[in-house]
Amino acid sequence: MTRRRATRTALAAVAAGTLLAASACGVGGDGRGTAGAREPERTGTVSGTITFRTLQLKPVFTQYVQGVIDAFEKQHPKAHVTWEDVPGEGYNEKLVADAQAGSLPDVVNLSTDSFQLLADRGMLADVARLDPGIGKEYVPGAWEQFKLPGHGQSVYAYPWYVTPEILTYNKELFTASGLDPARPPVTVEQFFDYAEQIAARSRGRYTAFMADPKGRLPGDWQKMGVPILNPAKNAFTFGTDKALEWIERMKELYAKGAMPKESLTGSADINQLYGAGRLVFGPGSPGFIKDVRQNSPRIYATTQVAPTVTGTLGHIGIYAQSLGIRKDTKSPDAAAEFARWVTNGPNQVAFARQVTIYPSNARGLADPYFSDRGDGRDPETLSRAVGAAELREAALDANTPVQWTNQVGDVVVREMQKAIKGETDPRTALRRALTGANKILADQARR
């Protein structure tokens, strides 16, 4: 239902603080620093040696990535790509260290978190300026993901592969709860209504969904029409009656047994619970379906797939990987052309056929592979088609705003957990969450 940040890497506050301090003073080896560099200018010649960094793709995808590099170098014989692949653990910390040393790669694979770390500090090139017109090649929701508040139409990374939300649920448990499997919930409010009925009918034998405020927010609020930020993007504004309604419903449902008690702090394993037939709604990631097929064939056979809950504004959540260009790259033509090459339609489709991801490239997403629903009964095939349809149709997404940092999320989640458990009055919890979030935002602005 909501955007689940299963792949999100937690960044220590000290690392974020280090990057802030480094970017303020200049982090490049020449004293100027990437953040202080001018936007790169194309020369018209694709040449030079560039470094390309990926995140944990070796050895499984070595053949694919090397094939993409070889084809690029054949097309551009004056350019050479040096590929380095690094582990996922400590990736953001490594980016911080590289920023300090002035040794960021020319083309770097970025998750949502690492993109925010670098782009918000002025360390990435504006690819909309570097590569005019390229934006039309990508689905709007993915392209918009890499803009920054207050920077107009500038975009600071090429969208690479994306993963949209979908809705997965157990048809048998749906029916046992008196619900129609052919009529899944379409709004957050309806989702909660279904969860209440599930709790009433299950009598503790199974639950509806995971509490996990960290994974549900701010996505649920956005889908309910709660304004997360003011128009200037310099203050949080989520202290509304709608947000209060969300807290009160979550508290009520938690008390009625609609969620596993241990899921409030994120310690419960959603794959295990769903695979054991003890949870109605499964994870909202298409990649999850393959795990169910392999580990829980019986539950796979009764799994239904539908478009994710969208809510008032028609938002969906997408998790996106991107390719950023180092702002002071010495080979802007080669870097831009290579990032464009990696993210083109054919190359993204080839990648998506090997792993459960989706192209951000509109041409790639139009490939028949992503529209084939088969007989409509196989969950994995259906999930691929459902996810692709969402990406094609959704111009907006419910992804986390840049300002919603890990620090902000922790403050909000802590207050939500207290309110849902009944330790704090919901209105008080919302006020404290808003005050704490705005304090963090104001502190960051003063640095």
Side-chain angles (χ1 to χ4, degrees), residues 390-406:
E390 289 179 330
L391 287 170
R392 283 192 292 266
E393 297 165 4
L396 299 173
D397 66 80
N399 277 320
T400 307
V402 173
Q403 293 83 353
W404 190 285
T405 62
N406 287 332

Side-chain angles (χ1 to χ4, degrees), residues 213 407-419 423-424 429:
Q407 277 184 295
V408 169
D410 288 344
V411 166
V412 174
V413 166
R414 187 161 53 246
E415 295 299 334
M416 296 305 102
Q417 288 171 337
K418 292 176 183 177
E423 296 175 356
T424 304

Side-chain angles (χ1 to χ4, degrees), residues 353-431:
R353 285 179 177 272
Q354 298 185 36
V355 64
T356 309
I357 56 174
Y358 295 76
S360 62
N361 185 284
R363 177 185 169 194
L365 199 62
D367 190 283
Y369 177 71
F370 298 101
S371 57
D372 179 17
R373 291 176 176 255
D375 61 4
R377 298 178 182 178
D378 178 59
E380 189 173 358
T381 302
L382 188 58
S383 70
R384 184 170 59 241
V386 167
E390 289 179 330
L391 287 170
R392 283 192 292 266
E393 297 165 4
L396 299 173
D397 66 80
N399 277 320
T400 307
V402 173
Q403 293 83 353
W404 190 285
T405 62
N406 287 332
Q407 277 184 295
V408 169
D410 288 344
V411 166
V412 174
V413 166
R414 187 161 53 246
E415 295 299 334
M416 296 305 102
Q417 288 171 337
K418 292 176 183 177
I420 292 168
K421 284 192 291 185
E423 296 175 356
T424 304
D425 171 70
R427 191 176 297 276
T428 300
L430 182 60
R431 185 181 69 250

Side-chain angles (χ1 to χ4, degrees), residues 46-48 65-81 334 337-338 341 347:
V46 181
S47 63
V65 176
Q66 192 59 56
V68 171
I69 292 172
D70 291 345
F72 174 78
E73 291 181 337
K74 183 176 181 180
Q75 185 167 324
H76 300 284
K78 293 183 179 181
H80 176 70
V81 179
E337 289 301 318
F338 180 69
W341 174 259
N347 282 329

Side-chain angles (χ1 to χ4, degrees), residues 168-174 176-177 195 198-199 201-211 256-263 267-283 288 292 296 298-300 302-303:
T168 60
Y169 54 99
N170 185 313
K171 289 185 291 187
E172 287 184 359
L173 297 184
F174 227 64
S177 301
I198 289 167
R201 297 289 186 94
S202 72
R203 298 182 179 179
R205 289 175 291 134
Y206 52 87
T207 55
F209 68 103
M210 305 291 275
K256 290 182 176 181
M259 321 163 207
K261 296 297 183 184
E262 64 274 20
S263 70
S267 60
D269 187 332
I270 187 169
N271 289 18
Q272 185 177 25
L273 288 171
Y274 184 82
R278 294 171 52 201
L279 192 69
V280 175
F281 292 101
F288 164 74
V292 178
S296 307
R298 190 188 73 80
I299 300 301
Y300 180 80
T302 190
T303 293

